[in-house]
Amino acid sequence: MLERLIHSLETSPVMKRGDYNYFIHPITDGVPLLEPALLREIGCTMVRVLDLSGVDKIVVCEAMGIHIGVTLSLMTDIPLVVVRKRSYGLPGEVAVHQTTAYSKGELYLNGVGAGDRVVLIDDVCSTGGTLRALISALGQVGAGIADVCVVIGRGDADIGRPCKMLVRVEVSPDRVRVVDTYL
Ligand SMILES: O=P(O)(O)OC[C@H]1O[C@H](OP(=O)(O)OP(=O)(O)O)[C@H](O)[C@@H]1O
Ligand SMILES: Nc1nc2[nH]cnc2c(=O)[nH]1
């Protein structure tokens, strides 16, 4: 089911960002290029594993959640909300702080309100800093989270609730190894 994802991860390069072993992959970086078949494989797997009953919005974070969210939105007809890294100052906008292994910044949630039922999707979960920030923002607006799912999990971050990871990886200075799959 996830052959393309597994093969592409296990042949992906690793670079240093400070002390952090950062793998470079089409899904998590958009480079060198994104194959439609890989996006389809991930979209079909997410449709199988996600609890989509009664869900009215898919929430992703820019930048590297967007193509995954678009794929899922086209397959399910569920609208997409993109959490941005800049403020629009719209009524009801919620700002939260994001810390990752190599960056810090603010995230701005618009377009989700009290009573909305959402699924939260991202490309990768590493420290969990991004998902924790997004879950906090969704809590502040009063949305219900039906499910959280990422394509790739690395490390053992606690985000305070279950997160479905299509694959789990270990990253060493010179390679990525897929150590588990969700299905
Ligand atoms: O679990 P974490 O340690 O939070 O790492 C995961 C986050 O890191 C990347 O985002 P990044 O902030 O690098 O931005 P990008 O999507 O714009 O590349 C990735 O897209 C995840 O959102
Ligand atoms: N591409 C990429 N994105 C990440 N986000 C958090 N960790 C990583 C990583 O190792 N590679």
Side-chain angles (χ1 to χ4, degrees):
M1 179 99 201
L2 287 165
E3 291 83 6
R4 285 174 196 275
L5 178 61
I6 292 167
H7 180 261
S8 55
L9 276 166
E10 292 200 326
T11 52
S12 64
V14 179
M15 62 175 274
K16 283 281 183 198
R17 284 186 93 160
D19 290 336
Y20 186 70
N21 295 320
Y22 181 98
F23 65 89
I24 303 166
H25 183 270
I27 287 296
T28 54
D29 296 274
V31 299
L33 90 175
L34 262 169
E35 292 287 0
L38 177 61
L39 281 172
R40 236 183 340 262
E41 180 180 275
I42 287 164
C44 290
T45 309
M46 282 202 173
V47 168
R48 275 182 65 183
V49 309
L50 280 168
D51 173 9
L52 291 171
S53 54
V55 166
D56 35 38
K57 290 169 188 172
I58 296 164
V59 176
V60 300
C61 188
E62 76 160 298
M64 299 315 295
I66 295 177
H67 47 294
I68 304 161
V70 169
T71 302
L72 196 59
S73 179
L74 287 171
M75 294 177 76
T76 60
D77 248 3
I78 300 172
L80 178 65
V81 170
V82 179
V83 177
R84 298 298 310 268
K85 293 182 177 174
R86 63 185 154 97
S87 171
Y88 289 83
L90 291 171
E93 180 176 80
V94 167
V96 285
H97 187 71
Q98 172 206 30
T99 303
T100 74
Y102 50 82
S103 66
K104 288 185 199 309
E106 307 305 315
L107 301 175
Y108 300 90
L109 173 68
N110 287 281
V112 180
D116 279 341
R117 185 170 167 82
V118 307
V119 286
L120 177 57
I121 306 295
D122 208 356
D123 58 333
V124 53
C125 177
S126 176
T127 67
T130 304
L131 287 178
R132 282 192 296 275
L134 296 170
I135 290 167
S136 163
L138 290 166
Q140 288 178 50
V141 299
I145 303 176
D147 225 342
V148 180
C149 183
V150 296
V151 179
I152 301 154
R154 58 177 294 184
D156 52 3
D158 180 6
I159 62 160
R161 56 163 296 144
C163 175
K164 293 173 178 168
M165 297 171 168
L166 301 190
V167 297
R168 293 186 54 83
V169 298
E170 281 175 7
V171 186
S172 57
D174 59 343
R175 64 172 291 210
V176 177
R177 233 163 32 95
V178 174
V179 293
D180 199 10
T181 61
Y182 190 80
L183 284 176

